[in-house]
Amino acid sequence: MTIESDGIALAGVLRRPVAGEPLPAVVLTGPFTGVKEQVAGLYAERLAREGFATLAIDHRGFGESGGRRSHEDSQGKLADLRAAVGALAALPGIDADRIGVVGVCLGGGYAVRAAAADPRVRAVAGIAGGYNSPAWFAERMDYRAALRAQLDRYDEFLPAVAPDGGEAAMGGAEPYEYYGTERSAAPHWENRVTRGSLHALLTFDALGAAPLLAGVPLLVVHGRRDAYCAPELAQALHDAAAGPKELLWIDCERHIDLYDQEPFVTQAVGATAEFLAKAL
């Protein structure tokens, strides 16, 4: 299906497990640079099997959606999630009072921030989530120098992933093992992103949304070991969240294990489906 966000056409895949009674529904948002056929699509398909209508989208600039190509737009992504929630709520056969948002990797941070600002969202779950915090980054790096370097080359592209330690937005062997191989094969994924996208990542505050969730139920599913989305931030998000909350630690070795590897995906899906069944 196609939805509109700020006048931009967004491509999405709607899955309905059954026809008939109004269904609870979930918007899926995935990793940085990810498209709907990759991680978000896998989780959308699995949650649909559990009885939820699901909508996995390509955010603006990525996949088959319109917008500035391969550029991370934090506020734009939040607008996309608002549009997706609205589109689901307007569909026949969907219970507009039972809509949640599920995010994986960076999508986990966007899901939490979206739920904090949109009272139509009745539950939120993050899986291997990137709960970015500018304050946390600033304690661990020369933050302002990093921002300046990105601003100076804002419109330039660099690879999203690269082999053999090459420069990339997602550096290292682990991201390349997923995005640089057949594991993530998707016709509309592009191996590039603007340097300005890195500025967006460093300035996006997902962790700060936790106290704003009020009574929105939160589930945090995270690997005990994760070199890319810090378990420390997952714990901090859970601790700071207001309202009902659950935290599940998964005994995986790497961040990308929760993208597509078993038994970890099944564990995450099972916990998420159980949580959503109670919360929606």
Side-chain angles (χ1 to χ4, degrees):
M1 64 181 292
T2 301
I3 63 177
E4 185 175 298
S5 176
D6 294 335
I8 298 170
L10 305 181
V13 175
L14 175 69
R15 293 173 172 88
R16 293 177 185 261
V18 293
E21 294 185 4
L23 293 167
V26 183
V27 176
L28 280 294
T29 177
F32 176 48
T33 80
V35 296
K36 63 186 180 303
E37 295 83 11
Q38 295 171 331
V39 180
L42 172 61
Y43 276 88
E45 180 180 354
R46 294 290 298 271
L47 287 172
R49 294 183 202 168
E50 299 293 330
F52 302 93
T54 63
L55 175 58
I57 63 170
D58 284 338
H59 281 285
R60 63 183 65 195
F62 296 95
E64 295 181 279
S65 291
R68 182 179 178 185
R69 301 313 304 165
S70 303
H71 179 71
E72 186 75 12
D73 177 352
S74 298
Q75 292 305 311
K77 279 193 168 183
L78 292 174
D80 296 346
L81 291 177
R82 290 194 297 272
V85 169
L88 268 182
L91 289 174
I94 301 297
D95 189 337
D97 293 323
R98 300 170 67 199
I99 295 178
V101 179
V102 173
V104 186
C105 185
L106 186 60
Y110 282 115
V112 170
R113 179 56 74 178
D118 190 340
R120 299 171 300 176
V121 176
R122 300 302 179 92
V124 60
I127 300 167
Y131 307 113
N132 292 16
S133 167
W136 191 84
F137 293 146
E139 291 175 356
R140 290 160 176 78
M141 62 187 297
D142 190 340
Y143 184 70
R144 294 187 66 82
L147 296 181
R148 178 58 188 267
Q150 294 151 9
L151 287 173
D152 286 347
R153 304 171 67 183
Y154 193 86
D155 294 322
E156 294 180 13
F157 288 101
L158 76 164
V161 297
D164 304 322
E167 183 185 20
M170 297 179 284
E174 189 175 323
Y176 186 80
E177 183 179 328
Y178 180 75
Y179 287 104
T181 69
E182 286 300 309
R183 281 176 64 177
S184 70
H188 301 288
W189 182 79
E190 297 180 67
N191 187 21
R192 64 171 189 164
V193 71
T194 64
R195 291 183 182 273
S197 297
L198 303 181
H199 184 276
L201 297 186
L202 285 180
T203 56
F204 178 59
D205 182 12
L207 185 62
L212 306 177
L213 288 173
V216 181
L218 166 71
L219 171 66
V220 177
V221 178
H222 212 88
R224 294 186 186 276
R225 290 165 292 279
D226 190 324
Y228 286 85
C229 290
E232 177 184 344
L233 287 175
Q235 183 72 60
L237 176 83
H238 174 268
D239 292 348
K245 54 190 175 182
E246 301 176 28
L247 174 60
L248 173 65
W249 294 109
I250 301 289
D251 289 319
C252 53
E253 294 293 331
R254 301 180 303 166
H255 176 72
I256 61 172
D257 287 344
L258 277 163
Y259 282 14
D260 62 349
Q261 296 298 292
E262 294 297 347
F264 312 115
V265 169
T266 291
Q267 292 170 5
V269 168
T272 304
E274 182 179 354
F275 164 76
L276 292 172
K278 293 183 297 183
L280 293 179

